[in-house]
Amino acid sequence: MSDRRRRKSLSIFRPPLAPLTPINDEPPESSPGTLKKRRPTSFAQGLSPTPSPASSGMDSPGLSSSPGVGTSESQSKGAWGKLIPRTRPRSLHKTGRPSSFFGSLRSLSSLHDEDEALTKTASSPSSLNSVSSAIPDVAAGLLVHHGPLPEVGPMFRRRCPYLVLTDTHLIKFKSQDRAAEMFPSIPSTPTQQRRINNPRHSRLSSTSSLPDLQNSADCHVALVHVVAVYKLDDGEPYFTFEIAHLNDTTIHPSTLTIQIHDPGESDTWITAIRSAASKARVMSSTPFSQRLVEHTARALEQEHDYDPNHFRMFKVVQRANKLAKRSSSEDLSKLTSKLCILAIGMYKVHVVPLPKASKTTSSTSLSEMNGMSYGIVTLTSINVQAFDDTFQLWFRQPFQTSSALHLAALCVNEVAIWLRQAAEYLRPEWTEPPFAWIVPETLNDELLPIPVEEEENRAFDRTLTAYCAAYGIDTSHIRYAIDYEGEDAPAFWLMPLANPWRKKYNSIELLAIFRALRYNETFRTISFSQTSLDVIHGLCDPHGWEHTPWSTRSGEPVDLEDQQNASVLIQEIRALAIKSRRLRRVDFSDCLDRKPLTAGPVSGAGCGICEALFPLCAKQYTNLDWIVLNGIQLANVDIDYLYAAAIDRSCHFRAIAVGYCGLADRSLQIILSALAHQGETLEYIDFSGNLARLEPLVLGEHFDELSCLRQVDLSNTYRTSGREPLFELRTLMRWKLETLDLARSSVNAETVTALAKYLGHSQSDTLRNLCLDDCGLTGGNVDDLLKGMSRPGRRRLHLSISGNYLEQEHDRFIKAIQSSLTPLEMTMQMLEYRDEENFQELVLAFAHNRSTTYLDVSKVSLPFEASAGTLQALEHMLRDNRTLEYLDLAGEEAHLEVANFGSGLNRALTGLKRNKSLKVLHVEHQKLGMPGANALASVLEENSTLRELHCAFNGFNLQAFTVIVSSLAKNTTLLHLPYMEGDRATAISKVNKEIVDARDTGIRSLTAPTKTTMSTMRRSIGAAMPGRRQSLYRHSGPPAKPKKPEMELKGVAQSIGEKWDREAMILQGYLQRNYELANGLPPEETVVTAENERPATNWSATTTLRLGSNDATPVGEHSRQLGHEMQSTSMTTGDKEESPGLEDDGVLEGALMMSQKLSLE
């Protein structure tokens, strides 16, 4: 008894020992006479239908594992599919005083909540169950690998688990003996070893029964549910790996951790489990449940990245980063691994959390889909481990540190392959990926081909969109144009930013454009002209060098000093130059705003463009040979880079443009001396707008070496004083000029003589553009040039002589025009005639000219408005000329100067009715007004050769615009007519000004019309106001509170804008019809009724107000299609009633009187 008490007292410090089993292994059935203990009736009632973690994990102490009396062998075999584990008998439950004083104070409800929470926490997922739930499936599998695990448990109850791998499941048994009972091929533990492992034995029989098999395993995992098998680097003295698995049906993720002492055995187990799980995954018919697919697709749709043709999803484990520094406030959930979905969309990689496990079939909420997204083009590294399922993905945004995803997946090879294919699909022109590809060698043989899709410009739009999506850029802000017809085409032109709130691209937008252009060999010309690159000038990205161009497109290493520390501008320009073999021309005009402190080159650091390009040209890393740097202030270091490359004949430069670069005399001489070495290839030079003075002798020495020049631009330059010509005749004869620009430069008589002789020689037949604007030429000088360039046929040359003193020796100039000595195209803008008769002679001379088809005489300044004689001469030219196809008679409206022909031009325009050659006419800024609109409308109704009419900024109101548009009902040849947005803004501003004047000046004091007329006009405007047509849209109830007159008149202005938009839609329909007819396409059926014809011409501004305000109808009636009837200007039922609610008749009367005044004006 004393020993018994002592044993009881020791049980406080250690748990009770398990019942002993007899030494002999005879089953109880072998002794018929053996007495069996009868199981009480209440024992069956104590069984719980819910599996208990304790019963599935380890045996409860004190429970017998033998079946009850009367259980036959057939009954035992029939109960395999519906076995349930037993809970602890009631006799073992603790009763009496609670173990804690505070525990006794808890209510029954709190105990119930605690039990419920414990059930949710401790219940194992369906994929991690006791073997009893699927014993037939587990036992039916083929044995693949098995072996013992390290001993676990307390000191006196240590046990040795046993791990068994079949082709369908992974089972963890408590002991080898119980594994051997289920799989006969596994040997049992020797008796001597069993005694060592279990020194205390029970006197019960050791024969295994059905309940023994239920409790013989900790857990089992279906291999089809395995997500990843990976090693754990937790610092413990074990070789541990973890098995993550997920049941798609219940969405219950779980992990199983295995510890093994031997590293070799650990690797063997990992390899075996990965292989078996991969085979089971291949055999599975449904790798994903429908719920998971829909959940992932909705997550990608939320990010605007879902495309069914570019959608892949994988089950992965997001592992905790053990090397990350932990902070005190860090969420502990981020330090643990979790199962999720890795989805590859069109432009991004998404980490989507699993949906919450729920028995309901309701849709997933948006809060459950908040994951992480990374742009595919920001991928910098893919690192796949060969020994397990772990891999790492690294992403980096510009000017930011890298972000890493530590993942593990059984399908790691597929993830890497599909991710690389997605990256290559977005950048099909890239010959080498800009990310590290660290994978096993065998994986390189499994790479997938890039899908081939027909897309213009070699998928440039696709690549640009990918970078915009990755960098978070609105693609609608980026504008560009592509020229397919010019020299060195196709040419890419970056246009100004399409954002009204910003005028310049930011650094991220520029990087997206630069990197989308990299490797693209569609474009032979790339232009950033007028695009500010200051934001990336001198800006560095120290967080990574994955976009640094270390090699050419062919793989040749680029040997440049300190390349990794260069600015982003330098690196991106270098990448453009060396990654495209077809790129020949780049234009950086006015892209950097660098102001010099003093006259001459700027001091300090260079512009970066010279540093980026010229070393590449000197070392033959690029095929660039046409470089335009106009408008960039060059420093001395920039000139050094240019000089070092230009003296090397192997660079083969075709063009160097350094106009307006702030070059002084010495800098210009250095560049000229260097370019002399490129005489065999140099075709274009531009020294315009610099401070340096040109010395004809020095210039001739260097120009004599340049025998292939086609384009020379020396505009806006200075020369030293002297009588020698700027170009000697021998120098001009060496060139094959196509363009010569000497505008705003001093041209003396000797230079004119040399040019005239050159133009008379056949060597000048290639010349197409000769610009001599503001050169101080007289009419006699121009006559000499015209005589020199005359040919038996028409001379294909564009001569620009704007701003010269042509009135001097004007007779010679007029005689040359009448004799048709002029070239095919002539521009004479901003001519200032002090004698109007001289201008009349010029117009009449072109009326009889038969050699010029293009004439620009815009912005001509006369001493007064054009007289009747001048207008008659213009009408005569428009009527009788048979060669002009392009005519520009536009005026000019500046703050200090106005140049136009006056309102009398309307009569001259009627001469176009009989013209049969003119195709393009410009008459902007001529103040044509309503009479001019009527004149143009009458011309359009009869003329059948005009293709483009540019008549904006002529003070047209809504009525005038409607008249011109309606005239197109009878014209089927016009292809261009502006929407006249400027005239629209002017018309609306006049109405607004009228409203302000009527309100502020109290215009009721002016002479008012008769009472009847005033009442009618007031009633018309009152009915035209939005919300004033109560007779048509009357509702029951009290009348609405009237609006203020200011608000009503403001609505009239808004309605005018809506009417203007409606007319613009009609105009677009007419132009579309004419375009289809001109190109031989079947036009759409359009009905042009009498309402579309030109309305009466006696409309006043008051009528315009009525028309603009008569549409106070619902929004659905605001759209008017081509051919529909216009709303009549006469008032409907609303005219018969007096408009109520006018609080101030004086304001309306003043507005109407101002309308009448505007109509008179």
Side-chain angles (χ1 to χ4, degrees), residues 992-1005:
N992 292 335
K993 185 177 183 299
E994 178 183 353
I995 296 172
V996 174
D997 292 343
R999 182 186 59 194
D1000 296 342
T1001 62
I1003 204 166
R1004 73 171 67 183
S1005 61

Side-chain angles (χ1 to χ4, degrees), residues 81 108 142 159 226 286 334 371 429 526 552 580 698 911 1072 1112 1119:
L108 295 177
L142 299 177
R159 50 191 174 86
V226 172
T286 56
K334 298 180 180 180
E429 290 295 302
I526 295 178
T552 64
S580 176
V698 177
Q1072 179 66 25
S1119 60

